[in-house]
Structures are given as structure tokens and as C-alpha cells.
Amino acid sequence: MQIFRANIIYTPESHRFEVIPHGFVAVSDGKVEGVWQELPAHLADIPVTDWGDRLLIPAMNDMHVHAPQYRNQGIAMDLELLPWLQNYTFPEELKYADTAYASRMYRRFVRDLWRHGTMRVAAFASVHPDSTLLLMRLLSQAGMGGFVGKVNMNRNCPEGLQESVEDAMKACEALVAEFDPTNDGRVHPIVTPRFIPSCTPELLQACGEMVRRYQLPVQSHLSENHDEIALVRKLEPQSRHYADAYDRYGLLGPTASYAGNRPTTIMAHCVWTDGDELELLRQRGVMVAHCPTSNLNVASGLAPIRRFLDAGIPVGLGSDVSGGHDFSIFRMMVYAIQVSKMHYQRDKSCAFLTLAEAFWMATKSAGRFFGQVGSFEPGYDFDALVIDDSPLLVDDGYTLLERLERFVYVGDDRHIVARYCQGCLISDPWDDGNEK
């Protein structure tokens, strides 16, 4: 049993924060036993880790990021999606055939996730199975959690990134063999067709069969860009819309092992999703990964997040490095709120996001994909960050929620003094400098 004392803040519901000043949280076997203002008598003899006046909040979840694009973070931001892929992204991903290069970059990638307080991640790797396994092992060694997918694609990409359907499925089988999706580890495989334009019907069908055979979750991209949508319409003329193209191959969920309130599929972006496509996402329980910086950087548009929330569609936040330029999910909260305010200016009935809603999307809403993650309610995994925001305080009059808001908007990784994943203190994964 572990007991922590701090200023505890979390969002049990989308519209409100739970705030417990100098409260206590008890953790047993990595899961929250309870949260109290005063420590119960039966726990009085257990040592307490006292974090003083610091903030204790749930850790961040990044629901969409491209690990092999790490080197390109913050460059090529003057192109739209399809030319950006051809001119920058695909050439960089070709390098991951070299596992030595992959090791150097992926170690830095994992450390940057850790540094920014992201303890769980849904990550795209490259088409290369050995480098993908390397990324999964590094995340596991670091003590962090997530779903990692070997990207599958066999058209509309450079020859060095194309693969046969048989080779793609053999590689996926190898991931499942080493990281059994039924085990209780923190790192698992996820079926990852890059997107419809890069996958033939035969490859999409094989991905759907892999999902059914092993009851695996799925991640991909949906309705990000007008040119992309037009290409999908040409490639899949029998489909009603982009989401229907995935659904026809069994790639929109649900799968039996992820029943109930747990989403089985992540679709990134959904900038232009509405009408029948939006309704299909709702019916299948698909999680939308909202990546506001990427949508702005590659000129995709402003995703209608309020519509998704009002429809009951689960939403998480994604950095989408390197379409996005920032690893911080705290920054994604800020950008998500700002994007929603642009929607509000066009449609006053579409209320902009509150801080509570953005925080909930980054923690409890996103955490559903990993199980009971993202809250301090009993039974949830204790994924947590300790925030020392004292350098940000210029006066003594801030409330705890004002302190949290100030950290979200103007704080950074230097103010994160401790990180926990499933109750384990996660130290700097490579503090010996070998990430270089």
C-alpha cells in the first residue's frame, strides 16, 4: 500500500474538477483504493509520501503520435498533408530499416514522452517489424504504457515502404507473439493501416482478419484533408464515405475483448466528419484523436469537437508529432480550447471547450482506451504527475484551479517533479545520457 498527500485535482466527469486540498490518495497494487480529505483511521500507520503544496494530477495520454517522424518535429510546416508526406515524412520513415538509427531516435522519442508527462501513448511506428519491436521494448523498459502499431501500407508510397500483404501480416504476428495482447503488461500491439490511400483492399481485408483473429484494437486516420477524402472516394467508390470504407473491412470496431465502455478503434483528426459518418463513429464507439496543432500546421482545418462530445463520441488528444510540433498534451489542451473558440465564432450554438473538458479529454476520456486510466476514482490505475508550480506563482491569492490553469497555459516539463504509471515511479529512462 502507498499513500500520497498533495493538492489532488482530477475530472471524474467532463464538466467538473474534483479538488481536494492537501488530500490523501491510497494506492494498492498500482490501483487507486480511495481519495480522502482526511486519512481514514485504518490507514494511519502506513507511511505517507507527502508532496506538500504541490499539485497531484492524472498523467497525460497521447492518443496519436508518429514515432518515426521524431526527427522532423518542427520542420516542413509550410506544406499540406499529401505533399508533406511525400517530400518529408516518407523519406524519414525509410531510415527505420536501420535498427541502429531507430534505436537512437526511439530512445529520444520515449524520453521526450516521459519528459512531458505522457505515461500512455497510441503510437504509429514504421513498416519495419524489427524497429517496431524495438520501440515496444523501449516503452516497456521505461515502465510506460501504450499501444504500438507497425504501419501497414502497400500503395501510394515509396518502393522501400511498400510491403506484400503476406509480409505485413507475418510482421504483425511477430508483434503479437512477443507482446501478447491478453497479458497484463503495459505495452500492446495495435493494428495500424496507415490510411485508406496507402492500403489496397487486399491489405485492408487482411488487417480486418488480424483484428478478428486476435481481438486487437485499431488505429488509423480519417477525414483529415479535402484532397485525401477525394482520393478515398476515388479508391473506394462503393463506400458511402471514408469511415464506411474502414467499416467494410471490419476496421471500425467493436471487438469482443474490448467490450463495454472501452473503445476499440482510434481515428485521428476527423476534421471533416459529420452527418452519416459521424453517426457511424458513434455507433461503433470509435475514439477520435483530436490533434489541433497538426490540423493547423498542415492546413487541414478545425475539427468539430463539440459535435463529437454532444453525440457521445469519445475524444482524446494527440500530439501527432511530426504533423504537430509539440509533444506536450498540456499544450494540446490549450490549442483544443482555442480551436473550439474559432468554431464558436462561426456558430454560437457550438459552445467552446472549458478547461475541465479539455483536461478530461487528455486524462479520463483518453484513458478509457487503456482500461481504467486517467482518474483517481477507486479501481483506476494510479497514473499521476506531481507538479511544482511554485515558480509560476507571483502572488499568494491563487485558487488551486487557477494554479492548475496557469500551469497548463504557461508551465512546462520543468515543473513536473514526479511521474507514476500504474503506481510505479517512472524515473528518467536514460539518465545516463545514452539516448544520444
Side-chain angles (χ1 to χ4, degrees), residues 36 46 74 76 106-107 158 171 195 238 306 320 325 340 344 352:
W36 304 275
I46 299 175
Y106 280 162
R107 288 169 72 89
F195 65 161
Q238 67 275 49
R306 175 59 64 194
D320 196 22
H325 60 274
S340 74
Y344 176 72
F352 57 78

Side-chain angles (χ1 to χ4, degrees), residues 21-316:
H22 299 292
F24 297 86
V25 56
V27 179
S28 179
D29 294 325
K31 295 187 178 296
V32 175
E33 288 280 314
V35 177
W36 304 275
Q37 181 66 75
E38 301 294 337
L39 193 63
H42 71 280
L43 301 177
D45 294 334
I46 299 175
V48 174
T49 300
D50 193 340
W51 287 106
D53 197 42
R54 296 179 175 95
L55 309 179
L56 181 67
I57 63 173
M60 297 296 103
N61 305 292
D62 190 337
M63 302 313 296
H64 185 68
V65 62
H66 291 265
Q69 296 175 24
Y70 176 77
R71 183 185 178 278
N72 284 356
Q73 182 185 1
I75 64 173
M77 296 288 96
D78 55 354
L79 295 174
E80 290 193 41
L81 174 64
L82 297 183
W84 174 80
L85 284 170
Q86 294 294 336
N87 295 326
Y88 282 90
T89 299
F90 290 155
E92 177 61 20
E93 292 191 11
L94 279 165
K95 299 176 183 178
Y96 283 76
D98 178 359
T99 54
Y101 182 81
S103 178
R104 188 166 80 252
M105 291 299 165
Y106 280 162
R107 288 169 72 89
R108 291 181 172 185
F109 169 80
V110 170
R111 187 170 187 266
D112 258 1
L113 289 175
W114 170 87
R115 189 164 62 87
H116 287 91
T118 298
M119 291 293 102
R120 311 266 181 158
V121 63
F124 281 54
S126 65
V127 300
H128 310 101
D130 291 342
S131 293
T132 302
L133 277 170
L134 174 63
L135 174 58
M136 298 177 79
R137 291 166 182 160
L138 289 172
L139 273 172
S140 183
Q141 290 168 17
M144 295 153 62
F147 288 95
V148 177
K150 188 206 78 69
V151 164
N152 299 302
M153 56 182 177
N154 64 345
R155 67 177 174 186
N156 293 324
C157 61
E159 183 177 348
L161 293 178
Q162 292 186 26
E163 55 188 346
S164 70
V165 173
E166 181 181 8
D167 286 345
M169 293 306 102
K170 282 183 179 178
C172 291
E173 296 268 4
L175 301 187
V176 171
E178 179 161 341
F179 288 87
D180 184 345
T182 64
N183 69 22
D184 58 359
R186 297 175 200 161
V187 179
H188 300 280
I190 183 169
V191 175
T192 307
R194 187 180 204 109
F195 65 161
I196 295 289
S198 67
C199 300
T200 62
E202 294 77 17
L203 181 55
L204 292 167
Q205 185 67 40
C207 286
E209 291 170 0
M210 182 69 63
V211 169
R212 289 187 291 275
R213 185 179 308 127
Y214 294 106
Q215 296 297 294
L216 294 171
V218 178
Q219 63 179 352
S220 195
H221 301 84
L222 178 65
S223 298
E224 181 178 0
N225 171 280
H226 283 306
D227 290 342
E228 168 206 14
I229 295 168
L231 181 55
V232 171
R233 192 177 297 117
K234 179 180 178 181
L235 294 171
E236 292 283 332
Q238 67 275 49
S239 299
R240 292 180 292 122
H241 42 65
Y242 200 159
D244 185 49
Y246 286 113
D247 199 43
R248 291 177 57 254
Y249 297 104
L251 294 169
L252 220 56
T255 54
S257 67
Y258 290 86
N261 194 40
R262 185 172 180 179
T264 69
T265 299
I266 303 168
M267 285 291 159
H269 307 304
C270 303
V271 173
W272 302 105
T273 292
D274 60 10
D276 290 344
E277 185 173 73
L278 187 151
E279 176 59 20
L280 183 57
L281 298 191
R282 188 195 66 79
Q283 291 174 2
R284 296 289 186 266
V286 172
M287 175 172 285
V288 171
H290 179 35
C291 309
T293 56
S294 175
N295 297 161
L296 295 171
N297 287 338
V298 297
S300 295
L302 309 177
I305 299 305
R306 175 59 64 194
R307 293 181 202 163
F308 300 147
L309 295 178
D310 288 349
I313 294 172
V315 180

Side-chain angles (χ1 to χ4, degrees), residues 282-413:
R282 188 195 66 79
Q283 291 174 2
R284 296 289 186 266
V286 172
M287 175 172 285
V288 171
H290 179 35
C291 309
T293 56
S294 175
N295 297 161
L296 295 171
N297 287 338
V298 297
S300 295
L302 309 177
I305 299 305
R306 175 59 64 194
R307 293 181 202 163
F308 300 147
L309 295 178
D310 288 349
I313 294 172
V315 180
L317 298 178
S319 66
D320 196 22
V321 167
S322 70
H325 60 274
D326 196 331
F327 267 104
S328 172
I329 299 301
F330 295 106
R331 292 285 188 270
M332 296 311 112
M333 295 183 209
V334 174
Y335 299 134
I337 292 169
Q338 291 172 336
V339 165
S340 74
K341 290 178 177 178
M342 297 303 99
H343 272 292
Y344 176 72
Q345 292 304 317
R346 296 188 298 188
D347 180 1
K348 291 294 197 267
S349 68
C350 193
F352 57 78
L353 297 174
T354 65
L355 179 64
E357 288 175 314
F359 191 91
W360 175 80
M361 287 193 296
T363 56
K364 186 175 179 180
S365 180
R368 279 182 282 180
F369 203 81
F370 307 103
Q372 286 191 296
V373 171
S375 182
F376 293 149
E377 297 161 75
Y380 274 71
D381 286 355
F382 185 70
D383 286 20
L385 305 176
V386 179
I387 309 299
D388 181 4
D389 64 327
S390 58
L392 303 175
L393 305 181
V394 296
D395 200 353
D396 296 330
Y398 298 105
T399 68
L400 288 178
L401 285 183
E402 287 171 340
R403 287 172 56 183
L404 175 64
E405 182 175 27
R406 190 172 174 84
F407 166 72
V408 168
Y409 274 82
V410 302
D412 58 41
D413 57 280

